[in-house]
Amino acid sequence: MGTREEKKEPTGRVRRHSLQSDHRLLVIPFMAVVAMHGLGCILPASVAWGFNYWSLIDTRVALAGLVLALVMALWPVFGRKPAAEAPPAAAQPRRWPRPARAGLVVTVSALMVAALFLLRSRALVYGDGYAVLDHAAGAGDATVYDQYFLQILAAYFHRGAYLFLNGLFSLSSEHAYALVNSIGGMLGLWAIYRLAGQIATCLSSRLFIAVGAMTSASVILFFGYIENYTWATALGLWTLSYSIAYVRGKGGAVGLVVLGSLCVFYHLIALPFAVTALLAIFIKSDPRGTSVFGVPIKTIGVFLIVLSAALALASHLLEITALVPLWPIRDNPYSVLSQAHLIDIANEIMLVAPVGLALLILTLVYRRGRAVAVGEDDSILGMAALLTFLTAFWIDPEIGAVRDWDLLSFFGLPLTMWALLRFSKYFRGRCVPGIWMLPVLAVVFVNIGPNLCEKNRPDLAVSRLDALLCHDPHYGTDYRMAERCIPWAVILHRGVGDKQLPMKYYYRRLDAFPGSYRACFNLADSYFHTGFFDSAYIYLRRGIVMKADEPEMLVNLSKTALELGLADESLEWAQKAVELDPERVPALSQLAIAFANCGRRLEAVQYFQQAFRRQPDEYRNIFNLATGFAMMGASDSAYQYYAMALPVAPHDRKSRICCCLISLCLELGRLNEAGAYLATLRQINPASPDIPVFTAQLAAASKSQ
């Protein structure tokens, strides 16, 4: 059973589809995509976030790049032959021997993994990058909770892969995760190539469709992307490939069922691929490959659209928050027909299926008087595109579509490849001339190039995302009391290290929910690290009223009070923290510091000793205890603990410890050891201004002996 390329009229005459004199119109979709990227540089970022990546690049470079892409997209117009008069498919080349082909596949696969890893996405702020890393590299065995119930296989697979790779190469969690997903990306690229070979009639068409699929930003997931969607996408593509093979009678149902099951268990978001595989089993029974039990595939598509709307209505009435509500509800203005949702869907399409959308419009508009043959490959790819798009349309991206674009990206590759297949039918024998590689390469260049550059620069990704999320309704005060603001602000605060960017989100949370002690605590922390100690103290006092049993907040109150010169209040807050949690090392250390600032050095040393006993290998505890003994004049003990702290100290602290050790050695008359530490200081920090001073003191001490 093969795909039908032409359709017979009732009279038996064959009616071919051909653009003939309109062949120049074929370049319009590709030129339109390039032009949209140029327009995205002008439009507000909140309206064009899916196609404004060139605005992140220098204006002259962006202009030159877009003009070059426009020329490439227009180039087939200058070909010698009209597009519709392409020669028929050439004979298939002789196949290589199996060992040679296996060696070539292994070599190309290794090169692909290396390239994908080297160009990997480093912007962990997209999706749940930090969360999945913490889950994969956490202590103990892999556990399933919250969202991981929807991705059971992913949770265990990445945990096991991290432990295996870390045992072999001592990789960081980020590098191990990226390597695993680069391997998944390689498998995804092979799936694209296999699918292209199944639906193409010649080598040039296969390359055209395979490269054309790369115009979808969904392939960014293959570049070591830190999320659980890479393997789900690759498994989904392989499921489609096996579905087509099964329908054509070139494969069994076992592989189809196994791959479909893996999709669902790996991540439930890939369920549409499994449903498509199920439909493929029934499509095979139809000689034309265009119906299920006599029901046309188009009718089934309409039914699925209506069914999805019915499910969305039920979700709305039952107050299930996973789907976008049909109309605005309390704590969620992001309804299905809201301006924000429609803008997000439009941008998602322009991001992951720009060529798919443009060519689909072309093939729908320019089909009058022409037969557009439909076969099993159209049915399977079209159904997969529809199901995955409906999933993206109805699911609520709770962290914002611009940040959670990967969750909604699954329809990009099926839709693009389906549209490329339909486009190839404008050519004789469905053999697309090689010159048409230039337009698809132009779109790959404009849609993937700057996107990948942004993903490789975390600082640029953060500044871009922050500017967009400021206006996203998911981060507004009327969306679930601004609960999404806290996780994003924490990522900016701790993951990225910026202390000022997150402050506006803490204010939004407090405006929507004044009783949020966590917002008070984090806002105070931002003020503390930017030097506004009085403001930090105000918000800490406000937060401790809401939650008086929070030791960490009490410790920070003690630290802030010290910075404001309130030694007695600092001691009071630290004592309360220790009373709540006597085993908490930061509380013990802070209480010791508070005692020291009140002149009670003996108590300070006692609490420094308690902190040291609980964490004897922690640098800060060793250093604090050494400093406590030094304040008491116990030079021998201070020397021992400073010597213990030097090997484990951070590099920027070693110079200070060396100075302390040299001073103590001179005081204790240990001149040889003082000289050794002076030599260490010269190695660590040759420009230290203390070196001449200690050199003179050591020389004077040597002469006095």
Side-chain angles (χ1 to χ4, degrees):
M1 182 187 299
T3 301
R4 283 149 291 281
E5 302 168 13
E6 24 185 60
K7 186 176 182 180
K8 291 189 177 181
E9 299 290 353
T11 59
R13 295 180 59 189
V14 173
R15 184 157 54 95
R16 296 183 180 276
H17 52 277
S18 167
L19 288 183
Q20 297 179 356
S21 60
D22 296 334
H23 72 277
R24 290 179 177 82
L25 296 176
L26 288 175
V27 301
I28 289 180
F30 303 98
M31 296 177 64
V33 173
V34 176
M36 284 297 293
H37 278 270
L39 183 63
C41 298
I42 303 172
L43 294 174
S46 59
V47 176
W49 59 261
F51 52 99
N52 75 332
Y53 285 89
W54 284 92
S55 63
L56 305 175
I57 300 175
D58 179 77
T59 304
R60 290 173 294 182
V61 175
L63 182 61
L66 291 171
V67 169
L68 174 62
L70 203 59
V71 172
M72 292 172 64
L74 190 62
W75 195 258
V77 172
F78 306 109
R80 293 182 179 180
K81 293 185 178 182
E85 301 300 325
Q92 291 292 329
R94 185 173 62 87
R95 294 172 65 86
W96 290 13
R98 180 171 296 181
R101 280 187 286 135
L104 180 63
V105 168
V106 171
T107 302
V108 173
S109 298
L111 291 175
M112 283 196 293
V113 171
L116 294 172
F117 182 77
L118 290 174
L119 298 175
R120 66 187 179 278
S121 171
R122 294 170 170 84
L124 303 184
V125 291
Y126 282 100
D128 292 319
Y130 288 105
V132 296
L133 276 186
D134 290 342
H135 186 270
D141 298 329
T143 55
V144 177
Y145 56 89
D146 295 338
Q147 63 174 334
Y148 292 102
F149 283 110
L150 305 178
Q151 39 191 317
I152 296 174
L153 184 57
Y156 287 104
F157 172 71
H158 280 284
R159 175 62 174 164
Y162 166 73
L163 293 175
F164 175 74
L165 291 175
N166 191 52
L168 290 178
F169 307 110
S170 297
L171 295 176
S172 66
S173 59
E174 181 179 349
H175 287 169
Y177 216 102
L179 179 58
V180 171
N181 279 354
S182 296
I183 296 173
M186 175 268 294
L187 296 176
L189 292 177
W190 278 121
I192 290 174
Y193 186 71
R194 188 174 193 262
L195 269 170
Q198 289 174 304
I199 62 179
T201 58
C202 64
L203 180 60
S204 62
S205 287
R206 181 177 194 172
L207 294 176
F208 172 79
I209 294 174
V211 176
M214 303 292 288
T215 60
S216 168
S218 298
V219 298
I220 296 290
L221 299 175
F222 296 160
F223 286 83
Y225 194 83
I226 307 298
E227 250 291 6
N228 288 339
Y229 304 127
T230 301
W231 283 80
T233 303
L235 289 170
L237 293 174
W238 278 102
T239 302
L240 296 182
S241 177
Y242 271 70
S243 297
I244 292 176
Y246 175 76
V247 171
R248 291 179 174 177
K250 297 181 179 179
V254 176
L256 187 62
V257 172
V258 170
L259 286 169
S261 301
L262 286 175
C263 280
V264 174
F265 283 106
Y266 191 89
H267 204 302
L268 193 61
I269 195 69
L271 177 63
F273 294 111
V275 175
T276 304
L278 180 63
L279 288 173
I281 295 176
F282 298 111
I283 289 174
K284 184 179 181 181
S285 61
D286 177 49
R288 294 171 55 85
T290 58
S291 65
V292 175
F293 298 127
V295 181
I297 202 73
K298 294 181 181 179
T299 304
I300 295 176
V302 173
F303 169 75
L304 290 173
I305 294 173
V306 175
L307 178 63
S308 70
L311 292 174
L313 177 61
S315 171
H316 182 107
L317 297 176
L318 295 173
E319 298 184 354
I320 299 174
T321 59
L323 301 184
V324 178
L326 295 182
W327 55 84
I329 60 176
R330 181 175 57 86
D331 290 340
N332 189 355
Y334 190 75
S335 61
V336 68
L337 294 180
S338 65
Q339 182 182 14
H341 181 249
L342 296 178
I343 288 175
D344 283 344
I345 291 298
N347 277 275
E348 186 73 20
I349 294 173
M350 286 302 302
L351 179 65
V352 302
V355 168
L357 175 64
L359 293 185
L360 191 60
I361 293 174
L362 175 74
T363 56
L364 289 174
V365 172
Y366 291 99
R367 61 182 297 178
R368 298 170 185 170
R370 308 176 184 91
V372 179
V374 177
E376 59 270 8
D377 43 8
D378 291 273
S379 299
I380 291 173
L381 288 176
M383 191 56 61
L386 175 64
L387 288 170
T388 49
F389 176 75
L390 289 174
T391 303
F393 183 82
W394 289 113
I395 197 167
D396 188 353
E398 295 184 354
I399 61 175
V402 62
R403 184 177 162 210
D404 216 12
W405 71 271
D406 43 10
L407 173 67
L408 311 177
S409 67
F410 285 81
F411 70 91
L413 288 168
L415 176 56
T416 301
M417 298 191 76
W418 180 43
L420 290 167
L421 167 64
R422 292 170 61 92
F423 179 78
S424 70
K425 295 177 182 180
Y426 282 119
F427 300 89
R428 181 182 301 172
R430 284 171 45 194
C431 189
V432 183
I435 196 172
W436 284 90
M437 288 288 289
L438 286 175
V440 294
L441 285 172
V443 179
V444 171
F445 173 63
V446 299
N447 198 44
I448 305 301
N451 192 326
L452 194 58
C453 290
E454 184 252 1
K455 298 295 185 295
N456 274 271
R457 289 185 54 188
D459 56 335
L460 182 60
V462 168
S463 61
R464 175 178 183 268
L465 268 183
D466 184 62
L468 291 170
L469 295 181
C470 276
H471 308 286
D472 193 294
H474 294 88
Y475 295 81
T477 55
D478 52 353
Y479 184 85
R480 301 181 188 175
M481 294 189 293
E483 67 177 10
R484 299 308 314 172
C485 289
I486 295 295
W488 172 244
V490 170
I491 287 176
L492 292 176
H493 191 150
R494 298 179 181 176
V496 181
D498 196 300
K499 306 302 180 186
Q500 292 183 331
L501 279 179
M503 296 176 72
K504 54 182 174 290
Y505 298 103
Y506 298 136
Y507 279 123
R508 287 186 186 181
R509 175 62 170 166
L510 287 173
D511 288 342
F513 180 45
S516 174
Y517 83 92
R518 180 56 59 184
C520 288
F521 176 75
N522 290 341
L523 185 57
D525 198 40
S526 293
Y527 274 126
F528 183 89
H529 286 94
T530 50
F532 295 94
F533 302 115
D534 51 350
S535 297
Y537 199 59
I538 291 172
Y539 279 100
L540 284 170
R541 292 290 299 267
R542 177 178 170 181
I544 204 64
V545 172
M546 303 174 195
K547 191 171 178 62
D549 59 346
E550 179 58 57
E552 188 176 1
M553 193 177 297
L554 290 167
V555 169
N556 283 8
L557 268 167
S558 177
K559 291 179 181 179
T560 309
L562 273 184
E563 296 291 344
L564 294 173
L566 306 174
D568 292 337
E569 289 189 28
S570 173
L571 179 59
E572 180 183 350
W573 294 120
Q575 286 174 328
K576 289 182 178 180
V578 173
E579 288 174 5
L580 282 174
D581 189 355
E583 298 298 316
R584 194 179 189 86
V585 172
L588 293 169
S589 297
Q590 183 57 35
L591 180 57
I593 293 171
F595 273 125
N597 278 273
C598 290
R600 299 165 65 176
R601 297 176 181 175
L602 180 59
E603 290 96 329
V605 171
Q606 290 174 348
Y607 281 101
F608 278 140
Q609 286 176 322
Q610 290 189 40
F612 173 75
R613 283 197 296 269
R614 286 163 177 78
Q615 291 182 354
D617 298 326
E618 176 64 33
Y619 154 74
R620 188 171 297 278
N621 295 333
I622 306 172
F623 179 82
N624 285 342
L625 184 55
T627 304
F629 280 121
M631 288 189 301
M632 291 184 62
S635 301
D636 286 324
S637 296
Y639 171 78
Q640 295 296 330
Y641 284 105
Y642 277 131
M644 190 186 303
L646 183 60
V648 297
H651 183 76
D652 58 341
R653 300 296 180 89
K654 290 183 181 292
S655 178
R656 179 183 177 184
I657 296 176
C658 280
C659 292
C660 294
L661 285 167
I662 295 170
S663 297
L664 288 170
C665 287
L666 290 173
E667 179 183 341
L668 296 171
R670 301 177 180 180
L671 302 186
N672 292 335
E673 295 179 30
Y677 285 120
L678 181 59
T680 302
L681 178 62
R682 288 194 180 99
Q683 293 177 352
I684 296 172
N685 186 10
S688 173
D690 296 314
I691 292 177
V693 177
F694 285 132
T695 302
Q697 291 178 356
L698 183 60
S702 299
K703 288 182 180 179
S704 64
Q705 283 187 348

